[in-house]
Amino acid sequence: MGGDDERLRAVVSLAQTMAAAYTPRESWRAAALGACEALHGSFAALSVWERERGRLRVLVNAGQRAEGEEEFPEEEAYPVHQFPEITEFLHERWAGGGEPDAWVETADGQPGAGGPARGARPYCHQRVAALRRRGRGCCVVAPIVLHGRAWGELYVARPAGRPVFDRADADFATVLAAVVASGIAQTERLEEVRKLAFTDPLTGLANRRAVDIRLDEAVERHRLDGTVVSLVVCDLNGLKAVNDTLGHAVGDRLLERFGSVLSLCGAMLPEALAARLGGDEFCLLAAGPTADAVVGAATELCDRAAVIELGEGVACGVASTGDPIGPVRSARRLFRLADAAQYRAKAARSPGPVVAGRDGEVVRLADSPPQPAHDRRRLRGSRP
């Protein structure tokens, strides 16, 4: 189906659509839909080979999905040993080098268009049974190679009653799989760049840029629908003494250990963001959980930090729109409140978190003492 010009346009369209994708999911969906359209299929899927688990995991199902098929399935996976033809590709060198060939399966079990090496291939009962169960007449399977290694497969199907894929379709699917591999490689590079831009390199936590963006978004949600937004700001005690007496390498290990504790306590709050703001200052940002749940996580954080080897605990301040702190119309205000609570915790050597608006405190930022000049960090509730 389709002439050379049409197929060339389809290849260009697929490459352009994948290049425009911003996230891995967008890239996967663009790959599946583009291949489906190019091959005049009704359904397409993209799967990745998880070597450590010996299985093919489906990343996306696109097009006319059958009952039970989700667009982005969480746990749709198939043991590789159930698919003789893909096992051959994954565990052996394909003949002739270069890109491995695609092959065709049909619902009636008749020979398709050749195997991974243009020769006979093992009969795959699982694929044939799946085609019949989902009302599909045939499929073409194209292995995907990334950085010289088997990465996964591209699968495109047609419904029963439509023309069966032929050798030309299989050859074209091989070309499409190569385009998809290039698109995936680009998406992975962009994802790595984004990760570097929003991640603290020492602890692996989010950085202050990520907090700025997420906090602005959370406060906007609060203004629109009343979502509870809470911020925990904490200062790791004793880091300077460790750096001065034992060296910065030991100080870095202390920061890494506290980062792990912070991440663990953040996991108590759904979708909370754990971040290192810089130096010895960290934070937890939560949008949705109650103020009490956040205070509970902060209390756990203080308890765990108190027993970290070489550390001297943590000073922790909490500010939440779920507490009586007045209207919060900006990220800056919530950050200032949490920061002021953290300073009070540090001054009082509090073993637990100090919470803005609790214990009878009247929150008036205008009455708050000015911050010392050496502690005025760029973040402090404003975008860099």
Side-chain angles (χ1 to χ4, degrees):
M1 285 189 180
D4 291 342
D5 289 345
E6 180 185 346
R7 286 188 163 174
L8 178 59
R9 287 194 296 271
V11 168
V12 172
S13 176
L14 173 60
Q16 290 176 337
T17 307
M18 291 194 71
Y22 185 73
T23 66
R25 278 194 170 192
E26 289 177 2
S27 178
W28 302 337
R29 188 172 185 274
L33 286 175
C36 188
E37 183 177 351
L39 285 162
H40 299 285
S42 61
F43 170 84
L46 186 69
S47 303
V48 63
W49 179 30
E50 295 184 334
R51 287 174 171 78
E52 72 281 2
R53 304 180 72 174
R55 66 179 193 171
L56 279 170
R57 181 169 65 86
V58 179
L59 299 174
V60 62
N61 291 311
Q64 298 175 13
R65 300 193 301 273
E67 185 178 353
E69 287 179 327
E70 300 175 1
E71 183 175 23
F72 295 105
E74 292 296 327
E75 281 297 324
E76 184 182 349
Y78 305 95
V80 171
H81 67 80
Q82 293 182 359
F83 299 87
E85 82 292 348
I86 198 71
T87 302
E88 180 180 331
F89 157 62
L90 292 173
H91 295 289
E92 298 178 12
R93 301 290 296 178
W94 49 86
E99 297 297 327
D101 293 321
W103 64 92
V104 173
E105 300 277 2
T106 62
D108 59 10
Q110 295 301 309
R118 283 189 183 271
R121 55 170 169 73
Y123 178 76
C124 184
H125 295 277
Q126 285 75 17
R127 286 196 197 276
V128 171
L131 287 171
R132 293 171 180 168
R133 186 170 62 252
R134 291 163 180 163
R136 295 166 185 151
C138 62
C139 67
V140 59
V141 183
I144 295 174
V145 178
L146 194 61
H147 309 309
R149 302 180 68 188
W151 184 88
E153 70 172 35
L154 176 67
Y155 172 102
V156 180
R158 287 176 181 166
R162 291 280 305 280
V164 173
F165 291 113
D166 57 20
R167 182 69 256 172
D169 292 321
D171 289 341
F172 186 42
T174 299
V175 173
L176 294 173
V179 175
V180 168
S182 297
I184 291 170
Q186 173 183 280
T187 302
E188 289 182 350
R189 286 192 295 270
L190 291 175
E191 192 69 12
E192 185 63 26
V193 169
R194 281 193 288 269
K195 182 178 179 181
L196 291 173
F198 295 103
T199 303
D200 174 61
L202 177 64
T203 62
L205 300 176
N207 62 14
R208 63 188 185 184
R209 182 181 292 108
V211 174
D212 272 341
I213 294 173
R214 185 76 73 85
L215 185 56
D216 280 344
E217 293 172 348
V219 170
E220 183 62 21
R221 282 181 58 192
H222 169 71
R223 292 175 59 190
L224 291 174
D225 61 17
T227 296
V228 175
V229 181
S230 305
L231 190 65
V232 181
V233 174
C234 42
D235 195 274
L236 182 61
N237 297 326
L239 178 64
K240 185 178 185 302
V242 170
N243 284 335
D244 291 345
T245 59
L246 299 175
H248 286 272
V250 178
D252 285 350
R253 288 200 295 273
L254 175 58
L255 288 168
E256 290 173 333
R257 289 184 189 126
F258 180 72
S260 297
V261 171
L262 182 69
S263 180
L264 177 66
C265 294
M268 299 169 59
L269 306 169
E271 299 184 12
L273 181 72
R276 181 187 177 203
L277 302 177
D280 55 4
E281 195 167 58
F282 295 75
C283 81
L284 274 177
L285 169 61
T290 65
D292 285 341
V294 174
V295 172
T299 302
E300 179 75 10
L301 175 64
C302 290
D303 292 343
R304 288 179 177 271
V307 296
I308 295 178
E309 184 180 4
L310 300 179
E312 297 177 11
V314 64
C316 192
V318 183
S320 174
T321 62
D323 282 324
I325 60 174
V328 174
R329 298 186 179 90
S330 69
R332 178 177 177 79
R333 185 171 194 276
L334 191 67
F335 209 103
R336 288 178 63 195
L337 287 169
D339 209 30
Q342 183 264 124
Y343 276 111
R344 292 196 297 276
K346 198 171 190 70
R349 297 183 179 275
S350 173
V354 170
V355 185
R358 295 196 179 188
D359 299 326
E361 175 193 23
V362 178
V363 176
R364 290 194 301 268
L365 281 178
D367 297 335
S368 300
Q371 297 176 20
H374 66 277
D375 277 319
R376 289 181 189 144
R377 294 173 175 81
R378 281 180 64 193
L379 181 68
R380 295 296 181 209
S382 62
R383 296 176 71 89

